[in-house]
Amino acid sequence: MKIFSILFVCHGNICRSPTAEGVMRARLAQAGLLSRVVVDSAGTHGYHVGEAPDARSVKAAASRGYDLASQRARQVADEDFAAFDLILAADSRNLADLRRRCPAHLQDRLHLMLEPLGEGREVPDPYYGGCRGFEEVLDLLEAACEGWLEQLRSRHDWMAS
């Protein structure tokens, strides 16, 4: 069975990317695809390696039924560029960091998380704001994950069955 892999990336891997991982994991489970798609998250920087997601992310996600509790922050590794079929950055700054590190022949795997919602759209960083920012991030990521899932189904026959 073909396994597809997705890596969500933000700056520190404690807000946006773990939330995206949790949302996509839930969407894949609902679609019966969790055994066919591997989902992970990482940060372009290692400030929070080993830490749990931000408590505000965990709380906001839990209020919508997403469980982030077992996740731990990690930094993007060079091996990730070959290991993941799709690498989704939260914003253009993180995408630029990834592009600098990614081998030329794997650059087509790099995209913005919100690409299904429109070219150039970015997930705002809620870290320094209030709780409403974490809800906004969830709104955006729920819509984007649905968009990515539809794109993947249309491109990969084995996901549609």
Side-chain angles (χ1 to χ4, degrees):
M1 176 188 316
K2 168 75 173 135
I3 300 291
F4 192 84
S5 55
I6 304 169
L7 180 66
F8 292 98
V9 179
C10 68
H11 193 71
N13 193 215
I14 60 168
C15 294
R16 297 171 290 175
S17 56
T19 300
E21 177 185 346
V23 170
M24 183 59 94
R25 191 177 309 281
R27 293 294 190 263
L28 291 166
Q30 291 168 352
L33 293 171
L34 204 51
S35 65
R36 297 181 181 192
V37 183
V38 172
V39 183
D40 197 3
S41 62
T44 54
H45 292 77
Y47 308 130
H48 302 285
V49 170
E51 293 180 20
D54 184 285
R56 297 166 294 176
S57 289
V58 172
K59 182 178 178 182
S63 74
R64 297 191 192 188
Y66 306 114
D67 182 11
L68 310 183
S70 66
Q71 295 185 38
R72 293 297 173 263
R74 71 175 188 88
Q75 188 172 5
V76 172
D78 290 340
E79 305 80 48
D80 289 333
F81 297 108
F84 288 90
D85 298 301
L86 190 58
I87 301 173
L88 303 176
D91 56 40
S92 58
R93 180 176 155 200
N94 286 295
L95 183 59
D97 287 345
L98 292 169
R99 287 201 190 286
R100 278 191 290 279
R101 292 183 55 194
C102 184
H105 69 285
L106 299 174
Q107 291 279 325
D108 63 334
R109 297 175 180 208
L110 305 176
H111 300 272
L112 287 171
M113 283 182 200
L114 298 186
E115 190 174 292
L117 306 184
E119 189 174 327
R121 294 209 44 200
E122 300 183 348
V123 182
D125 190 346
Y127 188 77
Y128 294 106
C131 291
R132 179 66 199 127
F134 292 87
E135 295 295 333
E136 178 186 357
V137 164
L138 272 164
D139 293 341
L140 292 168
L141 292 174
E142 286 175 334
C145 285
E146 284 297 325
W148 281 113
L149 193 52
E150 287 305 312
Q151 283 187 33
L152 292 173
R153 282 182 171 142
S154 69
R155 292 181 195 163
H156 304 282
D157 292 340
W158 56 268
M159 278 194 197
S161 57

